[in-house]
Amino acid sequence: MQRSTVTVISQGWDGPYYRVRTQAFDIDFLISPDEDPGRVGNVDAEVRLPDSSRWSATIFTVAEVERLMARWAETGEHSGGKYFWCHDGLIVGDAGVGSMVQALAAMHEEDILTTVLKHLGEPAR
């Protein structure tokens, strides 16, 4: 496994967001205050690149997708859990902000981050 060239500079709570700053990009995770950032498995995230462009993802673990589909099978949502769909969905193997940052860093290093994530338009001025 290759070691990432993306280095985390800082991380922690900033208002309602759990913010992670790296030398390549910043990520704001919208985590409920009662959730542990180290265990979160379903979270909205916004990535900001140095050019100020903003990119979104709803990040799920495989286990969270399985949990949601099982629940939908009982509630009847999504045709009884027959499919999973999310317009800006990104599925990762492991829970936690750290694993999610590693996945985003890998996409950055593979030069596919802006292909995979959804562009949010220009920042507010």
Side-chain angles (χ1 to χ4, degrees), residues 8-60:
V8 173
I9 298 168
S10 65
Q11 61 184 328
W13 290 101
D14 185 8
Y17 298 100
Y18 190 84
R19 180 163 290 151
V20 178
R21 292 187 60 231
T22 76
Q23 93 286 5
F25 50 80
D26 294 343
I27 315 160
D28 288 342
F29 293 95
L30 187 56
I31 301 174
S32 299
D34 59 338
E35 281 188 280
D36 176 0
R39 298 178 57 88
V40 67
N42 178 347
V43 65
D44 290 322
E46 180 180 308
V47 175
R48 286 184 187 257
L49 298 178
D51 67 1
S52 297
S53 64
R54 298 166 41 236
W55 304 83
S56 74
T58 301
I59 306 174
F60 301 91

Side-chain angles (χ1 to χ4, degrees), residues 1 16-18 24 55 59 63 69 73 84 91 94 97 107 119:
M1 183 165 131
Y17 298 100
Y18 190 84
W55 304 83
I59 306 174
M69 292 181 79
F84 180 91
I91 299 174
D94 297 316
V97 165
M107 288 190 301
H119 188 244

Side-chain angles (χ1 to χ4, degrees), residues 78-89:
H78 299 270
S79 295
K82 289 185 176 33
Y83 64 89
F84 180 91
W85 180 87
C86 177
H87 78 283
D88 64 350

